[in-house]
Amino acid sequence: MVAATVGLRGLSLCTLSLPILRSAKIKLPIHSFPTSRSLKPLFSPFNPTILRGFPSFCASPDVNVEATATAPPATEAENSQSADDIKNAANLLDIRVGRIIKAWRHEEADSLYVEEVDVGEPEPRIICSGLVKYMPLDLLQDAKVVVLANLKPRNMRGVKSCGMLMAASDASHETVELLMPPDGTIPGERIWFGTEDDKDSQPEPATPNQVQKKKIWESVQPHLKTDASCTAMLGEYLMQTSAGVVVCKSLKNANIS
């Protein structure tokens, strides 16, 4: 028995294409197969003989199945380098202890509070936070908070917001809790990740322009979580102050933003 297969710009031979090929007087390559083999699998679009030899509507010519299957896993050094890159980026963030002096509802935005926050500078910062649906206003008054201080200022419905209060949230984003520095910390103290040695080796924070241009916050934020004891972490590194670790009230294994 003789069977013919051909590829014509992604066209696999089938009964409908034979009249076209005959009228075009295209010479078909001939391959012989044992008589015991059925013709049906030969003309299947998933036949490996056809897929290897000709383009198909069913597979991109750029896909290399064998290479994908045998690609080596990421090495330990590559994973370690990635973790180092994330920590180095986090070290460029200016994360500080803050204290909310007073807070009020934004006059032009129902979802926003406006906070006046002491972050150790000559004048308090004005920060807008979308926390109205998550916590009552009185919870913010005189609260110790964690502030991301080197973001570019943003105009929030007519109020210039100069920073961000950091908080943990559950997966559904229905519960949000502010991160809390421990007692004994003072406004303006810079927060770090890791050990005391990491504190001593902290570089100067990046400028707000550098944070935006290099997308530093965007590269770090997905790796910020709370652990099973509600402690704030960057991967395996604790979020630290001089008086101890930063925590949230009750959210375990939660995202931080």
Side-chain angles (χ1 to χ4, degrees):
M1 181 181 294
V2 175
T5 61
V6 65
L8 181 62
R9 297 180 64 84
L11 182 65
S12 295
L13 183 62
C14 66
T15 56
L16 292 176
S17 62
L18 279 171
I20 298 171
L21 296 174
R22 285 169 182 159
S23 63
K25 296 184 179 180
I26 295 174
K27 186 175 180 179
L28 304 180
I30 304 298
H31 304 280
S32 296
F33 296 93
T35 56
S36 60
R37 183 178 292 184
S38 167
L39 287 176
K40 183 176 180 180
L42 293 175
F43 296 111
S44 165
F46 303 103
N47 182 280
T49 303
I50 294 174
L51 287 177
R52 281 198 298 268
F54 304 99
S56 165
F57 293 116
C58 302
S60 165
D62 296 325
V63 175
N64 188 332
V65 177
E66 291 183 4
T68 302
T70 59
T75 65
E76 214 170 288
E78 287 171 338
N79 289 333
S80 174
Q81 182 60 42
S82 176
D84 288 344
D85 288 343
I86 293 163
K87 186 170 183 297
N88 290 337
N91 287 340
L92 296 173
L93 296 174
D94 188 6
I95 303 174
R96 302 188 205 173
V97 174
R99 182 180 70 84
I100 298 176
I101 300 169
K102 62 179 178 179
W104 61 96
R105 292 286 294 266
H106 194 299
E107 293 180 358
E108 302 295 331
D110 292 341
S111 64
L112 297 178
Y113 288 132
V114 183
E115 303 97 17
E116 193 174 281
V117 187
D118 179 3
V119 291
E121 297 171 338
E123 298 293 331
R125 291 200 186 196
I126 298 297
I127 296 176
C128 295
S129 304
L131 297 171
V132 171
K133 67 180 289 188
Y134 302 110
M135 58 192 67
L137 184 58
D138 59 3
L139 196 65
L140 298 178
Q141 307 294 350
D142 203 39
K144 282 278 190 74
V145 290
V146 174
V147 177
L148 179 54
N150 59 342
L151 296 175
K152 288 191 77 171
R154 292 179 59 193
N155 190 309
M156 308 279 282
R157 294 287 189 91
V159 177
K160 188 177 181 180
S161 180
C162 301
M164 183 180 76
L165 304 187
M166 296 182 69
S169 63
D170 61 8
S172 63
H173 207 68
E174 293 181 355
T175 304
V176 174
E177 296 177 355
L178 289 171
L179 295 188
M180 301 183 299
D183 292 339
T185 54
I186 59 173
E189 178 183 334
R190 193 171 172 200
I191 294 170
W192 77 95
F193 298 97
T195 64
E196 285 291 330
D197 290 339
D198 293 305
K199 176 188 177 182
D200 296 336
S201 62
Q202 256 189 317
E204 288 296 311
T207 66
N209 281 336
Q210 290 171 330
V211 171
Q212 182 183 58
K213 184 176 181 180
K214 296 181 179 180
K215 299 185 181 300
I216 295 173
W217 171 240
E218 290 84 350
S219 69
V220 172
Q221 188 275 325
H223 305 278
L224 289 169
K225 312 275 185 187
T226 61
D227 65 7
S229 62
C230 304
T231 301
M233 308 280 293
L234 174 75
E236 61 183 16
Y237 300 103
L238 296 167
M239 183 182 274
Q240 293 267 29
T241 72
S242 61
V245 297
V246 173
V247 300
C248 70
K249 184 178 179 181
S250 65
L251 291 176
K252 302 176 180 180
N253 305 311
N255 297 318
I256 293 174
S257 59

